[in-house]
Amino acid sequence: QKEVEQDPGPLSVPEGAIVSLNCTYSNSAFQYFMWYRQYSRKGPELLMYTYSSGNKEDGRFTAQVDKSSKYISLFIRDSQPSDSATYLCAMSRGSGGGADGLTFGKGTHLIIQP
Amino acid sequence: DAGVIQSPRHEVTEMGQEVTLRCKPISGHNSLFWYRQTMMRGLELLIYFNNNVPIDDSGMPEDRFSAKMPNASFSTLKIQPSEPRDSAVYFCASSRTSTQYFGPGTRLTVL
């Protein structure tokens, strides 16, 4: 079993819909949780960063972490065609991810239909 | 401000040849990471450095892979000899605090 599981999709939704992306993990040592967005043939870029359990909101994006269930989510409200990309969840055990290697899910390919 | 710089952007080589990938981290960042991305395995950590010192190389697949960071502004990942299964996109990332910034990647094809 991989440490981090993520449905690869593709997930196709109409413009304006609410999108829900999820990951599960098996290692209870993970403390820092991130969501990266990756456009085709580009490097990943950080979208959201959370520590431990709870919610964090940034504009149209909301990240949720439930450590008891080992489950994290990313919600995108009012989805736009420009949100079409691959979304990768990532986790680390310590140092806030900055000085510690990240463990990634395989990514979910999201398509927003105009 | 320039981001993480990787070179070359594309590399096509034949099995058995030596391949060297290069990375220039963002100025002032003290952590550097090498990742590999394939369709089958996703994005995987190979090795990372803090203050130019290798911290964890447990992700390096075999002795054919080696990485160095001779100074704060340069790192290399070398594959010798290369094999077709090494074909992937190799990313370098750097950080100073909690955010890792990724470069554009090097797309390696080994024939």
Side-chain angles (χ1 to χ4, degrees):
Chain A
Q1 179 191 9
K2 258 182 91 66
E3 277 191 295
V4 181
E5 299 283 354
Q6 184 176 10
D7 187 338
L11 175 63
S12 183
V13 301
E15 183 177 353
I18 296 175
V19 175
S20 173
L21 304 169
N22 311 291
C23 287
T24 59
Y25 63 95
S26 57
N27 190 338
S28 58
F30 288 134
Q31 297 288 336
Y32 297 86
F33 304 91
M34 289 137 274
W35 286 95
Y36 279 79
R37 179 175 61 194
Q38 185 176 23
Y39 291 112
S40 180
R41 296 187 175 264
K42 301 287 188 183
E45 57 179 342
L46 183 66
L47 265 182
M48 299 288 286
Y49 171 96
T50 52
Y51 168 68
S52 198
S53 286
N55 293 1
K56 184 174 183 179
E57 188 174 320
D58 184 1
R60 296 184 296 111
F61 299 90
T62 299
Q64 287 186 351
V65 174
D66 182 350
K67 289 191 70 181
S68 63
S69 301
K70 296 188 179 67
Y71 187 87
I72 71 170
S73 302
L74 178 70
F75 298 95
I76 307 175
R77 291 183 299 279
D78 187 25
S79 55
Q80 304 294 313
S82 57
D83 295 329
S84 297
T86 296
Y87 290 79
L88 303 110
C89 61
M91 308 173 189
S92 71
R93 282 172 278 274
S95 305
D100 189 17
L102 299 177
T103 301
F104 282 86
K106 291 184 73 173
T108 298
H109 182 47
L110 174 65
I111 301 167
I112 308 297
Q113 304 164 342
Chain B
D1 185 18
V4 175
I5 298 173
Q6 291 187 247
S7 65
R9 293 294 308 277
H10 302 272
E11 177 82 24
V12 180
T13 190
E14 293 189 348
M15 182 174 64
Q17 296 297 306
E18 176 181 303
V19 175
T20 299
L21 311 181
R22 297 172 175 81
C23 175
K24 178 179 170 57
I26 294 172
S27 178
H29 285 194
N30 59 351
S31 295
L32 183 138
F33 308 82
W34 283 100
Y35 292 89
R36 177 172 69 175
Q37 188 173 39
T38 62
M39 289 291 292
M40 288 294 294
R41 300 179 66 87
L43 193 59
E44 298 179 297
L45 176 69
L46 298 177
I47 185 172
Y48 73 95
F49 299 80
N50 285 343
N51 298 314
N52 312 338
V53 176
I55 301 300
D56 184 357
D57 66 354
S58 61
M60 297 285 262
E62 310 171 24
D63 291 345
R64 299 184 296 107
F65 286 69
S66 63
K68 294 182 179 180
M69 191 164 187
N71 57 62
S73 58
F74 184 66
S75 178
T76 60
L77 178 68
K78 185 178 293 187
I79 309 172
Q80 180 184 23
S82 58
E83 296 183 4
R85 60 192 166 124
D86 301 331
S87 297
V89 181
Y90 290 80
F91 288 102
C92 176
S94 71
S95 70
R96 184 174 60 84
T97 56
S98 58
T99 302
Q100 292 187 22
Y101 294 87
F102 282 74
T106 295
R107 185 171 296 272
L108 173 65
T109 302
V110 183
L111 303 174

